[in-house]
Amino acid sequence: MRLVAAALLILGMFSPVMAQSDCGDGLPCGQLFWDLPPLPELQSPTPMPTFAVTVQVTQVSGGVPTPHPVPTNPALATVDTSGISDQMATLQAVVAQTPMIMDDFNGTPVDTAQTYDELVDNAETFFGYAKSISQAQFGSLSPLVAFIILAFVTILSVKTLTFTLPFVTVLFGLIRKAVSLLLDFLPF
């Protein structure tokens, strides 16, 4: 019986598939009956401008060539950025002068340095326990304990990612906005 099943399985793997000749309801078999239209090449939505720069060299009486000065773009010289600079300086001063206040649920202020020290101590304790449990021998329950530890670490990492991912996204958005603001002022 097993020999027959193995032979049928081997024959089934190497036999051609007959379903390719039956294309179904309205599905084309093989090549399409019409030619596909050629699609035009799309230009970039933000084409990069090109500037043709020509340098004129003149000969002076000593035989040393001197280039003419490169002309400046008069449109860029008229851009007034003092308002934006003032606003950015104001924001920077506000951020620098505003103290970071953290309150617990009762409204009492929390010392951030002490909180970070406690977090470091607790992290050392947690990883010490994890290392000792991973080296402990539980006999036939070792796979179960390893699975419980793996599940705990997976849940902890997913919860940490769901907590930190919005902050990373906001930080990336701020950096992207700052870069786009700087690129708006570059003469390209």
Side-chain angles (χ1 to χ4, degrees):
M1 185 68 177
R2 289 183 187 177
L3 186 61
V4 172
L8 286 176
L9 182 65
I10 290 172
L11 285 175
M13 287 191 315
F14 294 113
S15 64
V17 178
M18 295 300 171
Q20 292 177 354
S21 62
D22 182 20
C23 298
D25 297 330
L27 297 176
C29 295
Q31 189 175 4
L32 294 176
F33 302 116
W34 57 89
D35 292 330
L36 293 175
L39 298 175
E41 290 185 18
L42 297 177
Q43 290 184 352
S44 173
T46 55
M48 187 70 174
T50 56
F51 297 105
V53 178
T54 58
V55 177
Q56 296 176 351
V57 179
T58 58
Q59 283 297 106
V60 272
S61 61
V64 177
T66 58
H68 286 260
V70 178
T72 59
N73 191 347
L76 293 177
T78 60
V79 176
D80 182 26
T81 60
S82 62
I84 295 173
S85 298
D86 293 342
Q87 291 175 359
M88 294 299 279
T90 303
L91 283 175
Q92 186 177 4
V94 167
V95 168
Q97 294 299 322
T98 306
M100 185 174 71
I101 299 173
M102 295 179 67
D103 296 334
D104 63 358
F105 296 115
N106 299 329
T108 58
V110 176
D111 183 18
T112 56
Q114 179 185 2
T115 304
Y116 292 141
D117 292 339
E118 288 178 11
L119 286 174
V120 167
D121 292 340
N122 291 338
E124 290 174 356
T125 304
F126 170 75
F127 287 112
Y129 285 147
K131 185 175 181 181
S132 64
I133 288 175
S134 69
Q135 293 176 350
Q137 299 296 328
F138 294 105
S140 61
L141 294 177
S142 292
L144 180 63
V145 171
F147 176 73
I148 290 172
I149 292 172
L150 178 67
F152 177 73
V153 168
T154 303
I155 290 171
L156 186 67
S157 62
V158 167
K159 291 291 183 180
T160 303
L161 277 176
T162 57
F163 180 73
T164 58
L165 202 56
F167 295 115
V168 171
T169 306
V170 168
L171 182 65
F172 178 73
L174 287 174
I175 291 171
R176 186 176 56 86
K177 288 289 186 181
V179 167
S180 68
L181 178 70
L182 289 175
L183 288 177
D184 288 340
F185 290 111
L186 292 177
F188 289 118

